[in-house]
Amino acid sequence: MDFNTWFEGIKNTFLRCFVAEERYMLLLEGIGVTIKVALLAIALGLVIGFLIALCNLSKSKPLNIIGKIYTDVIRGTPSVTQLMIIYFVVFASVSLEKWIIASFAFAINSGAYVSEIIRAGILSIDKGQTEAGRSLGLNAKQTMFSIVVPQAVKNIFPALCNEFITLIKETAIVGYVGLMDIQKAGDFIKSATYEAFMPLIATAIVYFVLIKILTVTLGKLEARLRKSDMR
């Protein structure tokens, strides 16, 4: 097989997979769904993670128990199982859009990991910082939010970035609840054309580009945070 024949075959496969019947629109729709689910899940996951981290750090035994049970259960069960429980059981009778319910499921899952990242970041701050805040007349809440948390954010930011990247890749399972995300779009094209290579490679490239953009963006934010340390 010469190069021209090989190239013609690749071109025809590409046209059949993405141009015919405007199947590329499925991938574009999938990108939109993936971004929406990931962004809402990240925002909610940060809130949940912070609250659970405070529970785990609390001196209140009931709050401490709640935090530990939450993290143990969520980290000890598969995310796809959690997604299906949230969608088919918890929100079965609630009229919400599918992508919002999926975001809740991923936020609950991510919150457990984020809570441990935040907890470790807070514990990494020297106790002298807390003592200094209290000596200035700040109460425990003011010391936590004005002194400890701002310093902890810089320490935990790289780990949070990794969690966000992982979360985007984990959204590939939303097809289980009927959402047309990037992975589901690739699967649909594969089933419609009986071509596996091109749709799967396209899916991988789209995920790679999205994650690369996120990585570069978060890297610039981290660099700015580090610059503030040097002033």
Side-chain angles (χ1 to χ4, degrees):
M1 181 185 296
D2 60 18
F3 176 78
N4 289 334
T5 304
W6 175 83
F7 181 78
E8 191 67 25
I10 292 293
K11 185 181 78 172
N12 290 337
T13 301
F14 179 86
L15 293 174
R16 186 165 63 254
C17 288
F18 304 114
V19 179
E21 299 181 13
E22 297 185 335
R23 293 193 180 101
Y24 69 91
M25 292 298 296
L26 294 173
L27 281 175
L28 293 179
E29 179 186 344
I31 292 171
V33 170
T34 296
I35 291 174
K36 287 194 301 183
V37 171
L39 287 178
L40 183 56
I42 287 169
L44 294 176
L46 279 172
V47 175
I48 294 172
F50 185 72
L51 294 176
I52 296 300
L54 293 181
C55 287
N56 288 333
L57 292 170
S58 174
K59 294 180 180 179
S60 170
K61 192 171 182 180
L63 288 178
N64 203 263
I65 291 173
I66 291 172
K68 290 191 180 303
I69 290 175
Y70 177 87
T71 52
D72 285 346
V73 171
I74 297 301
R75 293 197 301 172
T77 53
S79 55
V80 64
T81 304
Q82 296 165 16
L83 172 63
M84 297 179 78
I85 289 173
I86 295 295
Y87 185 84
F88 292 110
V89 180
V90 178
F91 286 94
S93 58
V94 179
S95 57
L96 282 175
E97 292 188 44
K98 290 182 178 181
W99 73 270
I100 295 177
I101 298 175
S103 295
F104 285 156
F106 287 113
I108 290 170
N109 177 272
S110 182
Y113 297 93
V114 170
S115 69
E116 289 299 285
I117 293 171
I118 293 175
R119 184 180 68 85
I122 291 174
L123 291 176
S124 70
I125 303 302
D126 189 88
K127 289 183 178 180
Q129 298 292 320
T130 302
E131 294 170 356
R134 299 308 295 271
S135 68
L136 291 172
L138 301 178
N139 59 35
K141 182 179 178 181
Q142 290 171 328
T143 302
M144 173 64 74
F145 287 96
S146 299
I147 297 177
V148 177
V149 171
Q151 294 182 69
V153 167
K154 295 178 183 179
N155 293 340
I156 67 177
F157 192 78
L160 284 177
C161 292
N162 289 332
E163 174 58 26
F164 297 158
I165 290 169
T166 300
L167 179 61
I168 289 178
K169 291 187 287 187
E170 284 186 348
T171 61
I173 63 174
V174 295
Y176 280 96
V177 295
L179 275 173
M180 182 65 77
D181 70 318
I182 297 170
Q183 184 63 54
K184 190 69 174 178
D187 291 342
F188 187 90
I189 294 171
K190 179 164 61 71
S191 300
T193 61
Y194 298 100
E195 294 284 351
F197 175 78
M198 195 72 74
L200 291 176
I201 291 298
T203 300
I205 290 172
V206 171
Y207 273 115
F208 176 81
V209 171
L210 281 178
I211 291 171
K212 189 64 178 177
I213 292 172
L214 178 63
T215 302
V216 172
T217 303
L218 294 176
K220 290 182 178 179
L221 289 176
E222 184 181 356
R224 288 188 179 183
L225 286 175
R226 295 303 173 194
K227 280 183 180 179
S228 67
D229 285 342
M230 299 170 64
R231 292 174 182 173

